[in-house]
Amino acid sequence: ERFLAPEIFFSPEIFSSDWTVPLPSTIDTCIQACPIDTRRPLYKYITLSGGTTMFKHFVKRLERDVRRKAKERYDFTKKKYPDLDVKKINVSIVTHPYQRFAVWFGGS
């Protein structure tokens, strides 16, 4: 059970058929809904806060999955428009030693 707890963020459909969108897809969709000139900085500075982000290897897996989504979009665009000069998107997830308490710091 301890190892399945963080899995709900990446494969929610194994727990409930009502929730099927994983966290990396939600992050990617949210960033893609922003204005085009702000997307690259947002991908470079994804910030985590809250106790559930403290699971072991959570950051690595989230970064890998968001990077994979961005790479799929890059490959699709490169294939569709081979002459277009498209730059790869850098994905970086920022952590902090106090990320467990970050939501409380902001509220106080």
Side-chain angles (χ1 to χ4, degrees):
E1 291 177 10
R2 179 176 150 201
F3 301 106
L4 287 176
E7 191 62 28
I8 196 165
F9 293 107
F10 302 100
S11 302
E13 66 276 356
I14 63 174
F15 295 101
S16 172
S17 60
D18 296 335
W19 309 101
T20 58
V21 182
L23 182 62
S25 296
T26 304
I27 291 171
D28 185 62
T29 303
C30 185
I31 292 175
Q32 288 300 309
C34 294
I36 197 163
D37 59 330
T38 61
R39 292 178 190 168
R40 285 188 187 273
L42 289 173
Y43 275 111
K44 268 186 164 177
Y45 205 83
I46 298 171
T47 307
L48 299 179
S49 69
T52 55
T53 63
M54 302 293 289
F55 285 113
K56 190 174 184 177
H57 304 298
F58 184 85
V59 175
K60 290 179 183 179
R61 180 151 180 210
L62 184 62
E63 188 170 343
R64 181 196 72 188
D65 290 355
V66 173
R67 189 173 284 146
R68 187 177 292 157
K69 289 283 222 186
K71 186 176 179 343
E72 287 173 6
R73 188 175 306 100
Y74 170 81
D75 292 341
F76 174 78
T77 306
K78 201 66 174 166
K79 184 179 176 184
K80 190 171 182 180
Y81 306 104
D83 297 333
L84 188 64
D85 183 28
V86 181
K87 295 178 182 170
K88 291 188 177 184
I89 294 175
N90 295 328
V91 175
S92 178
I93 298 194
V94 179
T95 60
H96 191 272
Y98 297 111
Q99 72 189 40
R100 175 182 291 172
F101 310 111
V103 292
W104 296 108
F105 288 149
S108 63

